[in-house]
Amino acid sequence: MSLKGRNAIVTGSTSGIGLGIATALAKAGANVMINGLGSEAEIAAATKEVSAAGTRVVYDPANMLRHNQIAEMVERCERELGSVDILVNNAGIQHVSPVEEFPIEKWDAIIAINLTSAFHTTRAAVPGMKKRKWGRIINLCSAHSLVASPFKSAYVSAKHGLAGFTKTVALELATAGITVNAISPGFVKTPLVEKQVPDLAKSRGVPEAQAQKELLEPQPTGRFVEIEEIGALAAFLASDAAASITGSNYSIDGGWTAR
Ligand code: NAD
């Protein structure tokens, strides 16, 4: 399952799942443009980790809140790496709060980063993919693209939206050699989830240890999904072997949505 000669962008790949996916794609042979926020040291560490596979790795600082920067990132990848064959829309943030107290700026940022940025990257990358008659778009959704949990109104709305966007674009590109799929993890231990524990503890009025146990309750396996498991699925969906898989939303959630 080689991705040799393919060029990929993974948004939000300075940390967590995105970093794991970027590493998995590089290990399969792809050159990768990584992206995301972070200190100089964090970005250098992420670049080093993905580079270990020996393929070309370039960092782009595009902020997923800025459509001009997103378009420039796609253009730069085409210019410097030669193409965007694989696009992984992974950048995401979370905020947990009852709806009536949900900060308006948090709602706007979650919709912009978790949903609208995927529209901007896709819009910019599709013309090149169409020209080359080959492309893979993978959207990081969530179990929350299929089911809801209280206090996550913006995140659940954005992820349901991204699942719908995935299906729509898959239909539009079905005969163009471009597949569009979603990956929907359950809980994965990354900084995004670690931050939720104190927030949940606060909104539920319970100690943090209890909040962590409650967080994992929907996941029948009772354990966090591993980042490497998501990387392996992304590398498969990016491969030629997955050419007939499009418009799908792959749950990787320890049985969460089987209930
Ligand atoms: P994380 O916090 O570890 O990483 C998020 C990444 O997005 C970072 O690289 C960060 O710099 C980047 N990012 C945030 N705001 C950005 C912006 N404005 N511009 C550019 N980059 C930005 O989170 P994670 O857990 O690895 O989450 C990655 C994706 O997986 C998200 O879309 C998230 O919703 C999804 N997801 C996570 C889980 C989980 O349990 N961790 C479960 C389901 C889905």
Side-chain angles (χ1 to χ4, degrees), residues 68 70 83 106 132 145 154 164 194 200 219 253:
N68 290 344
I70 294 172
S83 59
K106 290 280 185 200
R132 290 182 296 276
S145 75
E194 278 163 352
L200 183 67
Q219 210 147 285
D253 63 6

Short mmCIF file of all heavy atoms in Angstrom, two decimals, residues 68 70 83 106 132 145 154 164 194 200 219 253:
data_model
loop_
_atom_site.label_atom_id
_atom_site.label_comp_id
_atom_site.label_asym_id
_atom_site.label_seq_id
_atom_site.Cartn_x
_atom_site.Cartn_y
_atom_site.Cartn_z
N ASN A 68 -7.85 33.30 2.95
CA ASN A 68 -6.75 33.66 2.05
C ASN A 68 -5.51 32.83 2.34
O ASN A 68 -4.82 32.36 1.42
CB ASN A 68 -6.37 35.14 2.22
CG ASN A 68 -7.44 36.05 1.67
OD1 ASN A 68 -8.31 35.59 0.92
ND2 ASN A 68 -7.40 37.31 2.05
N ILE A 70 -5.48 29.88 3.65
CA ILE A 70 -5.76 28.49 3.25
C ILE A 70 -5.49 28.32 1.75
O ILE A 70 -4.82 27.38 1.32
CB ILE A 70 -7.21 28.10 3.61
CG1 ILE A 70 -7.40 28.07 5.13
CG2 ILE A 70 -7.58 26.76 2.98
CD1 ILE A 70 -8.83 27.90 5.59
N SER A 83 2.04 19.08 -6.31
CA SER A 83 0.59 18.79 -6.42
C SER A 83 0.01 18.66 -5.01
O SER A 83 0.74 18.59 -4.03
CB SER A 83 0.36 17.46 -7.17
OG SER A 83 1.02 16.41 -6.48
N LYS A 106 -16.63 31.46 20.61
CA LYS A 106 -16.22 30.04 20.55
C LYS A 106 -17.05 29.31 19.50
O LYS A 106 -16.56 28.47 18.76
CB LYS A 106 -16.43 29.36 21.91
CG LYS A 106 -15.47 29.81 22.98
CD LYS A 106 -14.12 29.13 22.86
CE LYS A 106 -13.23 29.52 24.03
NZ LYS A 106 -11.82 29.31 23.77
N ARG A 132 -5.47 16.20 -12.75
CA ARG A 132 -4.63 15.00 -12.70
C ARG A 132 -5.46 13.72 -12.63
O ARG A 132 -4.92 12.63 -12.60
CB ARG A 132 -3.68 15.08 -11.49
CG ARG A 132 -2.58 16.13 -11.64
CD ARG A 132 -1.65 16.13 -10.44
NE ARG A 132 -2.35 16.50 -9.21
CZ ARG A 132 -2.56 17.75 -8.83
NH1 ARG A 132 -2.11 18.75 -9.54
NH2 ARG A 132 -3.23 18.00 -7.72
N SER A 145 -20.25 13.24 14.65
CA SER A 145 -20.87 13.54 13.34
C SER A 145 -22.10 12.66 13.16
O SER A 145 -22.87 12.83 12.21
CB SER A 145 -19.88 13.29 12.20
OG SER A 145 -19.71 11.90 11.95
N ALA A 154 -21.75 23.38 19.41
CA ALA A 154 -21.02 23.87 18.24
C ALA A 154 -20.26 22.72 17.57
O ALA A 154 -20.29 22.58 16.34
CB ALA A 154 -20.05 24.98 18.65
N GLY A 164 -21.96 15.85 6.19
CA GLY A 164 -22.81 16.17 5.04
C GLY A 164 -21.99 16.71 3.88
O GLY A 164 -22.23 16.36 2.71
N GLU A 194 -7.81 16.04 26.36
CA GLU A 194 -7.30 16.30 27.71
C GLU A 194 -7.87 17.61 28.27
O GLU A 194 -8.16 17.70 29.45
CB GLU A 194 -5.77 16.31 27.71
CG GLU A 194 -5.21 14.88 27.77
CD GLU A 194 -3.75 14.78 27.38
OE1 GLU A 194 -3.18 15.77 26.91
OE2 GLU A 194 -3.20 13.68 27.55
N LEU A 200 -15.46 19.61 31.53
CA LEU A 200 -16.61 18.76 31.86
C LEU A 200 -16.80 18.71 33.37
O LEU A 200 -17.93 18.79 33.86
CB LEU A 200 -16.38 17.35 31.29
CG LEU A 200 -17.53 16.36 31.48
CD1 LEU A 200 -18.76 16.78 30.67
CD2 LEU A 200 -17.10 14.94 31.05
N GLN A 219 -17.92 4.77 25.16
CA GLN A 219 -17.05 3.94 24.34
C GLN A 219 -16.99 2.51 24.92
O GLN A 219 -16.28 2.28 25.89
CB GLN A 219 -15.64 4.58 24.32
CG GLN A 219 -14.89 4.31 23.06
CD GLN A 219 -13.98 5.47 22.66
OE1 GLN A 219 -14.44 6.50 22.18
NE2 GLN A 219 -12.71 5.34 22.86
N ASP A 253 -14.50 3.99 16.72
CA ASP A 253 -14.98 4.57 17.99
C ASP A 253 -15.20 3.55 19.10
O ASP A 253 -15.97 3.81 20.03
CB ASP A 253 -16.27 5.36 17.73
CG ASP A 253 -17.41 4.47 17.23
OD1 ASP A 253 -17.24 3.24 17.19
OD2 ASP A 253 -18.48 5.01 16.88
#
